[in-house]
Amino acid sequence: MESRVNLSNPLSQTDVVSRTLVTFTFLLGIFMGALDHGIVGPALSSIMNTFNISASWGVWSFTVYTLIFAVSIPVIGKMSDRVGRKQAFLFGIIMFGIGSLIAAFAPNFIVFLLGRAVQAIGSGGIFPITAAQIAMSYPPEHRDKAMGWIGVAFGLGSILGPTVGGFIIATASWKWIFLVNIPVCALILLLIAKYKPNQTRVVKPIDVLGITLLTLLILAVMLGIRLQNFWLIALGVICIPLLLLVEKKHPDPIMKVKYFTRSRTLALLLASAASGFVMATAVNFIPLFAEMNLGLAKGSSGFAATPLAIASMAASLIGGMLTDRLGARRALMAGFGLALIGAVFLILGMQSIVLLILTIILMGLGIGIIIGSPLNVLMLQAVEPSDTGMAVGYLSLFRSLGSTVGPALAGVFIANFTNGFSPLFITSAALSLASMAIVLVSAKGR
């Protein structure tokens, strides 16, 4: 069994300091990954000029990263239960550093995309592993608040990313956007070197065929959604029954079928997908909404997302406290409730920048709660301790799926409706309401 804190024998001060340092190290990985998400945006035009490519090719800097990240999450999450979370996290940090070097010194755009892909593989060993590590390092009465710091680290990195990226572009070559990751990776490796985890590992045959089918399924569906290609999506759908057939027979499957047959875990996965949709549509389209509805300049409209990011970061801590006081399920319901109210205000439209900012803050508070502690805590309560890495990985995978569907569907709405924001935010509100319903109903299920 996983080593947990013995409540009858409180930790010594040395042990508390050691645990805090390890937690800080894992959170530093989250911060670095989040910083990288936002830091590339300001450099995109410089990268396209360097490699002499069009904007249609330039967006693959993000597309390749998103696709490979989605694939790596469940695979590395599963492997962390086999080889250990420390080893999986180390692998992620090393791969992220190698990918950063490849991207910085790429002689052409194809090699640059290879670097982004390697970075994405590394991210798959950072984000879900950190959540599982923190969850299993703290006793229940401290776990909720501790997991709230994940949202703080991610939010801080997301806020600083565009600012740091803009500063680097203004003062140095875009290559430093990636080279800045190298000393951070080195520091993380140094800090975690002496950490000796106590974790029981799974020793069973590796599910090679299951991993292959799952990879094909994720790539086909997510790429199909991004390209709005029906045939790619159909290919992914065809992989589903084949994957289920393989997983039912394997002694240690990459995807446990019971996650999708038990109402509790299925509800949490669907809620995670909804959280990704709500988050992506808010972050990506509120600036455009402000520009088109309030007449803000393009440069100014980008700041409309700043209150959302700050509120989301603060709500991650609040979500941990709510989870501790009200329970994870009620905290999650409150988060979706705030997101629902924010979406309704956006549907109604507004001509006041002050009202828009208040609505954005409300959305940010809701998003910070629903992507933070409550979902992770509920999932960890529903699975065996030996499956923590895989379970948290699937939450991240479904959130990525939702965040991919959001912008794709938004593009369809904006292109085909006079006011495409209304159906977009109606969908966001409906998903928030549906998530509240399924989470509530699933409380009585298995």
Side-chain angles (χ1 to χ4, degrees):
M1 288 289 292
E2 179 68 37
S3 175
R4 299 205 184 207
V5 177
N6 189 336
L7 299 181
S8 62
N9 296 300
L11 293 177
S12 67
Q13 185 174 0
T14 302
D15 290 334
V16 170
V17 171
S18 176
R19 185 180 66 183
T20 302
L21 180 60
V22 170
T23 300
F24 170 79
T25 304
F26 276 80
L27 290 175
L28 186 59
I30 291 283
F31 172 79
M32 179 180 67
L35 189 74
D36 191 77
H37 275 275
I39 206 173
V40 176
L44 185 58
S45 59
S46 299
I47 293 170
M48 292 190 298
N49 289 335
T50 298
F51 296 120
N52 193 27
I53 57 173
S54 64
S56 61
W57 274 102
V59 295
W60 280 92
S61 304
F62 303 102
T63 302
V64 165
Y65 187 96
T66 302
L67 292 174
I68 303 302
F69 176 59
V71 169
S72 66
I73 287 172
V75 175
I76 300 182
K78 176 63 178 178
M79 295 308 294
S80 73
D81 295 327
R82 302 177 64 93
V83 304
R85 285 186 295 277
K86 176 184 175 179
Q87 287 73 14
F89 184 74
L90 285 173
F91 171 79
I93 295 298
I94 292 171
M95 291 296 285
F96 195 87
I98 292 173
S100 298
L101 286 172
I102 294 173
F105 296 109
N108 54 60
F109 190 61
I110 299 300
V111 177
F112 174 81
L113 290 181
L114 174 63
R116 290 291 283 164
V118 175
Q119 272 191 307
I121 294 173
S123 289
I126 296 174
F127 283 83
I129 306 304
T130 297
Q133 170 65 26
I134 292 177
M136 304 309 292
S137 298
Y138 288 81
E141 65 268 26
H142 298 301
R143 182 185 303 150
D144 305 338
K145 294 179 183 178
M147 294 191 74
W149 283 102
I150 297 175
V152 174
F154 182 84
L156 187 60
S158 300
I159 293 171
L160 293 179
T163 303
V164 174
F167 175 77
I168 290 176
I169 291 301
T171 58
S173 167
W174 63 263
K175 296 179 183 295
W176 283 98
I177 278 180
F178 298 99
L179 292 176
V180 74
N181 294 327
I182 306 305
V184 181
C185 288
L187 175 61
I188 292 173
L189 294 177
L190 181 65
L191 289 174
I192 204 173
K194 294 183 179 180
Y195 170 52
K196 297 180 179 180
N198 183 3
Q199 177 184 351
T200 301
R201 303 175 188 179
V202 177
V203 183
K204 293 180 181 179
I206 297 176
D207 184 12
V208 177
L209 182 56
I211 292 174
T212 303
L213 285 171
L214 180 63
T215 299
L216 181 59
L217 190 161
I218 295 170
L219 288 177
V221 170
M222 295 192 67
L223 187 59
I225 292 171
R226 283 188 172 271
L227 299 179
Q228 297 182 27
N229 187 307
F230 169 79
W231 295 110
L232 280 174
I233 296 175
L235 175 61
V237 172
I238 291 173
C239 290
I240 294 176
L242 297 176
L243 179 63
L244 292 175
L245 183 64
V246 170
E247 299 305 84
K248 285 181 179 180
K249 297 180 179 180
H250 200 277
D252 188 32
I254 185 67
M255 184 193 77
K256 291 202 171 183
V257 178
K258 66 181 180 182
Y259 287 178
F260 301 89
T261 57
R262 290 181 176 176
S263 61
R264 287 181 64 190
T265 48
L266 178 60
L268 296 174
L269 292 174
L270 293 176
S272 187
S275 74
F277 184 98
V278 172
M279 177 181 66
T281 52
V283 171
N284 292 317
F285 293 98
I286 280 180
L288 183 61
F289 176 86
E291 180 184 329
M292 296 182 67
N293 287 269
L294 296 177
L296 296 185
K298 290 184 177 180
S300 300
S301 65
F303 291 106
T306 302
L308 185 142
I310 295 174
S312 177
M313 182 174 65
S316 296
L317 283 179
I318 295 172
M321 296 176 185
L322 286 175
T323 300
D324 183 39
R325 293 187 178 185
L326 303 178
R329 199 172 302 277
R330 289 180 179 177
L332 184 60
M333 298 275 286
F336 275 116
L338 290 173
L340 170 62
I341 296 170
V344 170
F345 282 150
L346 291 170
I347 293 166
L348 296 175
M350 54 195 70
Q351 300 301 319
S352 166
I353 185 65
V354 174
L355 184 57
L356 176 63
I357 291 175
L358 291 175
T359 301
I360 290 172
I361 291 173
L362 194 64
M363 286 286 291
L365 291 172
I367 290 170
I369 294 173
I370 63 179
I371 68 172
S373 176
L375 263 176
N376 289 314
V377 169
L378 286 171
M379 178 59 85
L380 292 173
Q381 290 174 350
V383 302
E384 296 296 325
S386 59
D387 290 339
T388 54
M390 178 171 61
V392 174
Y394 271 97
L395 279 180
S396 298
L397 171 62
F398 272 71
R399 184 176 296 120
S400 294
L401 180 60
S403 64
T404 299
V405 173
L409 191 60
V412 174
F413 286 151
I414 292 173
N416 293 281
F417 290 87
T418 303
N419 181 8
F421 293 107
S422 290
L424 175 62
F425 292 126
I426 287 173
T427 304
S428 181
L431 286 175
S432 295
L433 183 61
S435 296
M436 294 173 69
I438 62 173
V439 169
L440 182 62
V441 171
S442 69
K444 302 176 182 178
R446 293 180 300 140

